[in-house]
Amino acid sequence: MASAPATDGTYQKSSLRRVVTASMAGTVVEWYEFFLYATAATLVFGPIMFPPSDDPYAGIIAAFVTYAVGFVARPLGGIVFGHFGDKYGRKKLLQVAIVLVGVATFLMGCLPTFQQVGYLAPVLLVLLRFAQGFAVGGEWGGGVLLVAEHSPDKSRGFWASFPQAAVPIGNLIATIVLLILSRSLSPEAFLGWGWRVAFWLSVVIVAVGYYIRTKISDAPIFLEAQKEVAEEEHVRYGVFEVLRRYPRGVLTAMGLRFAENIMYYLVVTFSITYLKIALEMDTAEILGMIAIAHVVHMIVIPLVGGLADRLGRKPVYAIGAIAAAGWGFVAFPMFNTKDPVVIILAICLGLVIHSFMYAPQPAIMSEMFPTRMRYSGVSLGYQVTSIFAGSLAPIIATAILSGTGSWEGIAIYLAAAAAVTLVAVFSMRETKGISLYEIDRVDRERLVAETGAVKVAAQR
């Protein structure tokens, strides 16, 4: 077996930076398009893709249900991309993912409205949303592993957090595009055709992201594991293998993801609904505030990733989970002031808290599984949670607001989710500075012990 890569002092950081750039480029594309849908669900799809209603929340809830379809598709994408990504490599599957999500998003911009084709409009929207979610489900695991497997052990938290920072960059670009369109067009023109331009622009971003991803290669540790899987019959990979051998890792990853995922979509998606519908604030003003918050999020994520390398994964994540439990009780009264500065502070606070959970995730989850099944493990733990966490968060929050007219139930909902994540934090192992080669060595010794026992039994 080959030796571990060069130590931190001799590691070729220029090569690592290229990998980080390639991973971020694709992630920016994926999340530009994913957030574009989230924003359009509140501002556009409700009134034009669904039957008219006297209830202002009805169309939004229907749009959020189609939004949730993408989350349902994400675990399936994670399983499929994880399986083939563990077999053929992270790079190849990431190129497929970026093209698929780009095509689906472009076609969303071509959709007819409910007024034009009736119920066919939401059906087509759901199908494209499923394709988009399927691709994004495969993107995250491959993107973060591409960086994590190239990173030095002592700074994996810092470097692997950069693909996470690409998420607010993609969201920021989507917000700016929608902001420009909403400010430069009349409300009628924006609803009529302006929103489509934002979806069509994805073609340009996809082309750039795809090109950048052709310039990098998989990490040496993956190439060695790939060779071992091909040569050794008893060395397997894929979702069933990871569930059989590392169920605790998958469950812990899901618990860690739970509150983080719910909080993110309350902060960046439901807050738009609350400010727009409940407080009747201007669309352009809301998008401007969200854009500022994305910039803050983008800056903070790598800083927190570095903090996880110094303090450890567990204390940093615990800070985020505890703070998340209290955010709703502080943020909604700040929203109700209708003061733009105070609202911006509330949203920024939410995303800073979110960073304490989000930034360490790639390193933590990469350190839970051996290389031969890492793509499947991290994708499963990360994406399955989104079905009952992020996908439902805007729907549940909107239903609570519609049914009670109050924000308190939403704050309690987030606090309960944070309690679940805190349990997962306390149950996880501290893996700061661990070698991925060491994880593979332990996994290999377990396999040798098991196959040896089988041979002895067969001889008897």
Side-chain angles (χ1 to χ4, degrees):
M1 192 72 185
S3 60
T7 59
D8 291 11
T10 59
Y11 195 86
Q12 296 297 319
K13 288 190 176 180
S14 60
S15 176
L16 178 55
R17 290 191 185 101
R18 284 197 299 272
V19 172
V20 170
T21 301
S23 179
M24 291 184 69
T27 304
V28 167
V29 173
E30 309 273 357
W31 286 95
Y32 164 83
E33 295 160 351
F34 212 72
F35 182 74
L36 195 62
Y37 188 100
T39 306
T42 295
L43 303 179
V44 177
F45 291 153
I48 73 170
M49 291 292 179
F50 297 92
S53 172
D54 295 331
D55 182 355
Y57 294 106
I60 293 173
I61 291 176
F64 278 149
V65 169
T66 66
Y67 183 56
V69 169
F71 287 87
V72 174
R74 282 169 64 172
L76 181 59
I79 290 170
V80 173
F81 278 81
H83 177 85
F84 290 105
D86 281 332
K87 182 176 183 179
Y88 296 113
R90 288 65 165 119
K91 173 185 172 179
K92 291 179 181 178
L93 272 295
L94 287 174
Q95 290 174 313
V96 173
I98 197 173
V99 172
L100 180 57
V101 77
V103 170
T105 305
F106 177 82
L107 291 177
M108 282 182 183
C110 304
L111 285 176
T113 66
F114 184 86
Q115 189 176 20
Q116 293 171 322
V117 296
Y119 284 96
L120 180 61
V123 169
L124 293 173
L125 183 63
V126 166
L127 292 175
L128 291 176
R129 176 62 179 162
F130 186 90
Q132 191 186 56
F134 183 85
V136 172
E139 160 65 28
W140 185 85
V144 299
L145 291 187
L146 201 62
V147 178
E149 291 176 345
H150 277 90
S151 298
D153 299 333
K154 293 181 180 179
S155 54
R156 186 176 298 114
F158 172 71
W159 289 108
S161 70
F162 275 91
Q164 305 291 72
V167 172
I169 294 174
N171 292 347
L172 175 64
I173 296 173
T175 303
I176 291 173
V177 170
L178 287 170
L179 180 60
I180 292 172
L181 290 171
S182 64
R183 281 192 179 276
S184 59
L185 299 173
S186 66
E188 293 75 19
F190 180 74
L191 279 177
W193 60 268
W195 64 273
R196 299 180 185 274
V197 175
F199 284 81
W200 292 335
L201 285 175
S202 65
V203 173
V204 177
I205 307 175
V206 165
V208 173
Y210 183 88
Y211 173 77
I212 293 174
R213 282 192 168 173
T214 63
K215 302 301 179 182
I216 48 90
S217 59
D218 287 307
I221 190 172
F222 167 76
L223 297 176
E224 292 175 18
Q226 184 184 38
K227 183 179 179 181
E228 187 177 14
V229 168
E231 294 177 351
E232 300 291 339
E233 184 179 349
H234 63 274
V235 180
R236 298 183 178 89
Y237 60 93
V239 63
F240 294 110
E241 182 74 356
V242 78
L243 285 174
R244 185 168 71 92
R245 293 189 172 275
Y246 294 89
R248 179 178 176 179
V250 173
L251 290 174
T252 301
M254 292 172 67
L256 293 174
R257 175 83 164 131
F258 190 62
E260 172 270 309
N261 197 222
I262 288 174
M263 181 170 189
Y264 186 72
Y265 286 99
L266 290 182
V267 176
V268 304
T269 301
F270 177 73
S271 62
I272 297 175
T273 300
Y274 188 78
L275 296 172
K276 174 71 176 178
I277 306 300
L279 302 184
E280 299 181 339
M281 297 186 68
D282 178 66
T283 297
E285 185 179 20
I286 295 170
L287 291 175
M289 291 186 288
I290 294 290
I292 293 171
H294 285 319
V295 173
V296 173
H297 201 206
M298 172 185 67
I299 295 170
V300 170
I301 286 175
L303 299 178
V304 176
L307 190 65
D309 286 324
R310 295 190 295 275
L311 298 183
R313 311 326 189 195
K314 292 183 71 169
V316 169
Y317 217 104
I319 290 170
I322 292 169
W327 177 79
F329 297 99
V330 174
F332 284 101
M334 295 175 73
F335 288 160
N336 290 342
T337 66
K338 292 190 178 182
D339 184 329
V341 175
V342 175
I343 293 172
I344 289 171
L345 289 175
I347 297 173
C348 288
L349 175 62
L351 291 181
V352 168
I353 292 171
H354 175 262
S355 298
F356 276 76
M357 296 181 285
Y358 196 56
Q361 273 183 8
I364 292 172
M365 294 187 186
S366 298
E367 293 157 357
M368 286 179 173
F369 308 100
T371 305
R372 67 188 175 97
M373 62 182 77
R374 184 169 291 127
Y375 201 154
S376 296
V378 300
S379 295
L380 193 64
Y382 188 89
Q383 302 297 357
V384 168
T385 316
S386 65
I387 296 178
F388 51 85
S391 70
L392 297 180
I395 299 172
I396 291 173
T398 303
I400 291 172
L401 182 62
S402 177
T404 67
S406 174
W407 56 265
E408 283 89 348
I410 302 169
I412 294 171
Y413 165 51
L414 177 58
V420 173
T421 289
L422 201 56
V423 171
V425 173
F426 289 137
S427 67
M428 66 180 270
R429 290 192 308 131
E430 178 58 69
T431 53
K432 179 186 74 169
I434 194 172
S435 168
L436 299 184
Y437 279 84
E438 174 64 16
I439 295 171
D440 286 356
R441 184 190 65 79
V442 173
D443 177 65
R444 194 175 307 110
E445 288 181 353
R446 287 178 58 190
L447 275 174
V448 169
E450 291 174 11
T451 55
V454 170
K455 289 177 182 177
V456 171
Q459 290 173 354
R460 289 178 181 176

